[in-house]
Amino acid sequence: MSRALSSSFLSLCLVVGFTTAYWRFPSHQVVSLSSYDYETAYFTQPIDHFGFDSQIGEFKQRYLVSREYWEHGKPIFFYAGNEGDITWFCNNTGFMWDIAPEFNAMLIFAEHRYYGKSLPFGSDSYLTSANLQYLTSEQALADFAVLIEQIKLMPGAENSSVVAFGGSYGGMLAAWLRMKYPNVVVGAIAASAPIWQFGNLTPCDSFNRIASQDYRTTPGGEMCFENIRDLWSTLNDTANQEHGMTILSSIFDQCSPVSDVNVFVDWFTAIFGYMAVVNYPYPASFLEPLPAWPVSVACSYLNESRLHGEDLLRAIRSVVNLYFNYTGELKCFNASSQGTSSLGDKIWAYQACTEQILPVCSKYETSMFPPSQWDPVSEVERCEKKWNVTVRPNWMFTLFGGKDIRSHSNIVFSNGNLDPWSGGGVLTNLSDTLTAIVMENVAHHLDLRASNPADPQTVIDARNVEKEHIRMWIKG
């Protein structure tokens, strides 16, 4: 699996000021995207929560607020921001918006430091390893905890229970926020949170194995699986021909010529992996605009017969068009771009090197992806050379306890069995208050998305369980 996959709007510049004496929201200026209205605000955070050097400075953390349904003393639903623009996550987390009226809840969506507009050193935030050293989950969790404490200074919020929500990396953060700051949040809904993807807690081939199974079990999937498996040798064979890279660049409509076949290998690996992640039962635009069940649609180009040579490459070209150009607006493609602009893929690569080290490999016996090994020694060497850092590959075990988390409480871990990241998730109950939900025929954190008539019953049931836990938590 490509490192790019493992490494997974408009806003008004308003400022919220806090003092020990009063709470001040900005004047009522509202952003409206889709059907959600919220205020955009900024809160001043220290760049370093754990040191005492005042010269390091402060930065403005962006967050989004909706008080449309909130009543004094009622709960606060807090989204722990992921590796990207917080407005994107806000508008793709409809579950919180759907249940806010039921709970009369305030909604807060907090942006993760170094992403979106929450840049500790402004335009220089990514300039040096010295500036990047404050990009850690520890610092981000401290940001969230401090922000929540300040929000609760608002009149009427002093006794409001706070429930954390998050999906994917945000789901990991929501769970860790409950673990590290149980005095701040009463519980957490951690959707598709691969908190056990570290080290040897989970087999490194789990992502590719589950993603491959998604393709193999869709209608006509066995032929689709085999054609995708044949793609990698076909790419190499074509590249080794005279003018082979020119041929590949032409077939795949590249905006600029590609000179290295591995760029295509990484590109297709990411495309197939991303489509498995967002294999939703209705059209969605979470990563890119896609139709319902995109894995099945992709396989419709690859399931009639065993394809070879240029026929296979042109069928794969149809898959590329499906993923990146479903709306038909693009005239050419860029194989060096593997994700969505709302995700901070480039800076996530720093986190994936320093602390969020999620082993991913591929085995021929169980995968349609190119076979690959996970070599922690060479990975550490690569990261230290690229970012000029000292890598601590075992720190996350010390920080969050690995699988020994039974002393914690009030976390719901939800996973879909189609989600490639579910292999690193919590799939069985660990205690009466550490609950696992596994949803059949469901991909990546579908339960956090807005209610949809196409939702499987397993998702509807999961949301009802999550609401029951929230009710128990806020009652104390």
Side-chain angles (χ1 to χ4, degrees):
M1 175 58 61
S2 162
R3 286 193 188 100
L5 188 56
S6 61
S7 38
S8 143
F9 309 149
L10 299 171
S11 69
L12 302 174
C13 296
L14 308 176
V15 177
V16 169
F18 292 103
T19 73
T20 56
Y22 69 98
W23 162 281
R24 178 170 58 86
F25 258 107
S27 58
H28 188 67
Q29 301 182 59
V30 175
V31 173
S32 181
L33 287 171
S34 302
S35 58
Y36 305 139
D37 292 337
Y38 52 79
E39 300 172 51
T40 300
Y42 290 83
F43 174 63
T44 300
Q45 295 277 12
I47 293 175
D48 182 13
H49 285 281
F50 305 110
F52 301 94
D53 184 353
S54 61
Q55 300 303 310
I56 293 174
E58 299 172 325
F59 76 101
K60 301 292 186 181
Q61 179 187 17
R62 181 170 59 158
Y63 65 101
L64 315 177
V65 184
S66 173
R67 296 182 292 165
E68 180 179 0
Y69 304 107
W70 185 62
E71 296 179 2
H72 284 197
K74 296 298 184 179
I76 297 168
F77 291 168
F78 182 91
Y79 188 90
N82 304 49
E83 70 284 19
D85 189 306
I86 191 58
T87 56
W88 188 61
F89 296 104
C90 171
N91 286 286
N92 281 280
T93 311
F95 177 58
M96 290 174 62
W97 293 93
D98 287 348
I99 66 174
E102 182 177 346
F103 288 91
N104 300 118
M106 182 193 303
L107 301 182
I108 303 288
F109 294 83
E111 192 161 67
H112 193 299
R113 57 170 53 207
Y114 287 86
Y115 294 102
K117 297 184 179 297
S118 300
L119 304 178
F121 298 97
S123 60
D124 292 337
S125 294
Y126 310 149
L127 193 61
T128 65
S129 57
N131 284 2
L132 281 169
Q133 67 178 305
Y134 305 103
L135 172 53
T136 67
S137 58
E138 293 169 272
Q139 297 280 4
L141 291 172
D143 289 338
F144 296 157
V146 170
L147 176 59
I148 290 169
E149 288 180 333
Q150 294 298 323
I151 287 170
K152 293 191 68 173
L153 294 178
M154 176 184 174
E158 302 93 334
N159 297 315
S160 292
S161 298
V162 180
V163 177
F165 293 74
S168 197
Y169 173 51
M172 299 162 77
L173 291 168
W176 292 335
L177 186 60
R178 170 60 186 171
M179 292 180 189
K180 288 296 179 183
Y181 300 99
N183 56 309
V184 174
V185 296
V186 297
I189 304 297
S192 298
I195 64 167
W196 290 346
Q197 189 69 38
F198 298 97
N200 61 359
L201 298 180
T202 298
C204 64
D205 71 323
S206 65
F207 184 101
N208 283 326
R209 173 175 49 78
I210 296 170
S212 297
Q213 188 71 4
D214 291 349
Y215 286 84
R216 199 168 200 169
T217 56
T218 201
E222 190 64 42
M223 188 64 68
C224 177
F225 176 94
E226 294 298 338
N227 278 323
I228 295 172
R229 182 182 268 184
D230 288 342
L231 169 63
W232 320 112
S233 60
T234 303
L235 285 172
N236 284 310
D237 290 345
T238 305
N240 289 329
Q241 298 175 14
E242 186 176 3
H243 307 302
M245 290 306 301
T246 300
I247 293 171
L248 291 175
S249 294
S250 176
I251 289 175
F252 297 117
D253 294 327
Q254 293 301 291
C255 300
S256 302
V258 176
S259 58
D260 184 353
V261 70
N262 290 316
V263 172
F264 283 122
V265 172
D266 287 348
W267 196 42
F268 295 128
T269 299
I271 289 171
F272 288 121
Y274 279 131
M275 278 199 290
V277 168
V278 295
N279 193 27
Y280 298 141
Y282 49 79
S285 301
F286 184 58
L287 295 180
E288 299 287 345
L290 289 171
W293 300 115
V295 167
S296 293
V297 179
C299 279
S300 71
Y301 304 115
L302 298 164
N303 63 7
E304 292 186 3
S305 63
R306 195 75 174 263
L307 300 173
H308 303 281
E310 189 169 321
D311 289 339
L312 175 58
L313 296 176
R314 294 201 176 279
I316 295 295
R317 162 65 175 75
S318 297
V319 177
V320 172
N321 195 64
L322 168 69
Y323 184 75
F324 283 112
N325 199 28
Y326 183 58
T327 58
E329 298 174 356
L330 296 182
K331 303 301 182 184
C332 61
F333 301 109
N334 181 4
S336 65
S337 176
Q338 299 175 353
T340 173
S341 60
S342 295
L343 278 176
D345 288 343
K346 292 183 179 179
I347 200 59
W348 174 254
Y350 174 87
Q351 279 194 270
C353 266
T354 51
E355 60 165 18
Q356 301 298 318
I357 304 170
L358 309 177
V360 176
C361 66
S362 182
K363 297 180 180 179
Y364 180 82
E365 296 80 9
T366 59
S367 175
M368 67 186 190
F369 296 98
S372 61
Q373 301 293 321
W374 174 259
D375 183 351
V377 174
S378 64
E379 186 67 11
V380 166
E381 291 175 351
R382 181 190 71 82
C383 288
E384 290 183 343
K385 180 178 180 180
K386 178 177 177 61
W387 296 103
N388 190 30
V389 295
T390 299
V391 177
R392 295 184 292 173
N394 297 319
W395 176 237
M396 300 305 284
F397 294 92
T398 302
L399 188 59
F400 297 118
K403 289 194 173 183
D404 187 13
I405 63 173
R406 289 169 296 177
S407 62
H408 300 291
S409 64
N410 292 7
I411 305 173
V412 173
F413 296 97
S414 63
N415 286 278
N417 71 321
L418 298 183
D419 181 11
W421 288 117
S422 65
V426 179
L427 304 179
T428 58
N429 293 346
L430 302 180
S431 71
D432 292 342
T433 61
L434 295 176
T435 303
I437 302 173
V438 178
M439 299 167 287
E440 293 296 317
N441 213 30
V442 170
H444 202 50
H445 55 61
L446 181 60
D447 52 321
L448 283 192
R449 296 182 60 79
S451 176
N452 188 287
D455 285 330
Q457 186 62 42
T458 54
V459 168
I460 297 170
D461 293 341
R463 290 178 182 141
N464 287 332
V465 171
E466 290 163 357
K467 288 194 295 182
E468 285 303 312
H469 281 274
I470 293 170
R471 289 189 184 96
M472 289 188 291
W473 298 337
I474 63 179
K475 286 179 180 178

